[in-house]
Amino acid sequence: MPNPTPVTTRPLRPTTHDTTELLLVDLATARYAPGDSLDVDTIVREHRVTPGEAHLALFELRRMKVVVRAPFSGAHVVVWHRRFNEVLLRDLVRMISVASTKATSLEDVPEPGVRRPACTAHGLALPADVAHFLDLARAIVQVLSPAARQHVLDDLLLPLEILCSARAVAVHDMRPALGETVRATIVDLMEAAAHYGEWAQLPGLASDYVTALGVDEPPVRPVD
């Protein structure tokens, strides 16, 4: 007898972390646009969470810097936009640069726990090279202090896993500067350098990758 319960990607009792992911999905799929305010009552109703969970999720989004609290009104305003992923990725490169000073081999680094990317739980998918890059970054930062590693996992990798999804790329027209083949080659070079202990090469390669993944559009010139 078939199960009459409909399949849903949303948990019955979302945690703060779950609520944060759902709001990131809302950003990735253009439910909210830059400049929009995030209303707690709407979040509670749409995602079936408590006001406390909604407020804590907004705090996490502020820590990720994808929303800010407007002065005086206290409203939470979306500041993430189609080029903001590059800001998150540059911060990730900075953390990889710190990790590269540890001068070790990837084989000597404790492997991160096996996990499913956040986007997968919400029916989204990452381009293969992006998934490889974020997985490699997750492994590299294992050499950092617990606090620094947690910052990378919670404030950088989590939003990037959703905001770099193929759906977000399509919805927000974030066409990368270089194709997937070139990007994948850069990530392969990063992995080889990490495996052979050539960690000094990691920051430069990671920076090249971010440039390759960046949105392909001409810079805006100031008006005279």
Side-chain angles (χ1 to χ4, degrees):
M1 180 177 178
N3 185 352
T5 303
V7 176
T8 177
T9 58
R10 295 180 179 177
L12 294 178
R13 296 294 302 274
T15 64
T16 298
H17 211 57
D18 296 326
T19 307
T20 303
E21 289 185 14
L22 290 169
L23 292 175
L24 286 170
V25 172
D26 285 342
L27 296 181
T29 56
R31 168 69 177 80
Y32 296 105
D36 285 351
S37 293
L38 296 175
D39 178 68
V40 171
D41 291 338
T42 301
I43 295 170
V44 168
R45 183 179 66 254
E46 291 187 348
H47 295 304
R48 297 176 296 186
V49 298
T50 67
E53 289 167 340
H55 281 290
L56 287 172
L58 289 171
F59 173 79
E60 289 194 355
L61 293 179
R62 291 205 314 270
R63 198 181 61 218
M64 296 172 188
K65 302 177 183 176
V66 298
V67 304
V68 296
R69 176 173 281 178
F72 309 115
S73 69
H76 288 81
V77 180
V78 175
V79 294
W80 182 85
H81 55 84
R82 64 199 301 265
R83 298 210 69 137
F84 194 84
N85 284 359
E86 294 172 53
V87 175
L88 296 173
L89 286 164
R90 292 293 176 194
D91 199 1
L92 181 57
V93 171
R94 182 177 64 82
M95 300 307 292
I96 289 174
S97 298
V98 174
S100 69
T101 62
K102 306 300 180 179
T104 185
S105 169
L106 202 58
E107 280 76 10
D108 300 327
V109 177
E111 289 192 13
V114 177
R115 60 182 297 282
R116 186 171 62 165
C119 64
T120 305
H122 305 285
L124 305 175
L126 284 169
D129 66 289
V130 179
H132 188 187
F133 176 74
L134 297 182
D135 281 344
L136 183 58
R138 182 175 291 103
I140 290 169
V141 300
Q142 293 301 305
V143 303
L144 297 176
S145 68
R149 185 168 65 245
Q150 204 61 48
H151 162 65
V152 173
L153 297 178
D154 291 346
D155 302 339
L156 301 177
L157 292 178
L158 172 60
L160 286 169
E161 284 181 344
I162 294 174
L163 298 173
C164 285
S165 63
R167 177 76 183 280
V169 170
V171 168
H172 296 280
D173 192 27
M174 298 187 293
R175 290 169 289 182
L178 296 176
E180 187 169 348
T181 300
V182 175
R183 302 196 312 263
T185 299
I186 297 173
V187 181
D188 287 342
L189 291 172
M190 281 185 63
E191 185 171 30
H195 273 295
Y196 288 107
E198 298 172 349
W199 282 47
Q201 297 184 20
L202 294 180
L205 289 168
S207 183
D208 289 345
Y209 179 78
V210 173
T211 300
L213 189 63
V215 178
D216 184 17
E217 60 186 7
V220 177
R221 294 185 177 181
V223 178
D224 295 332

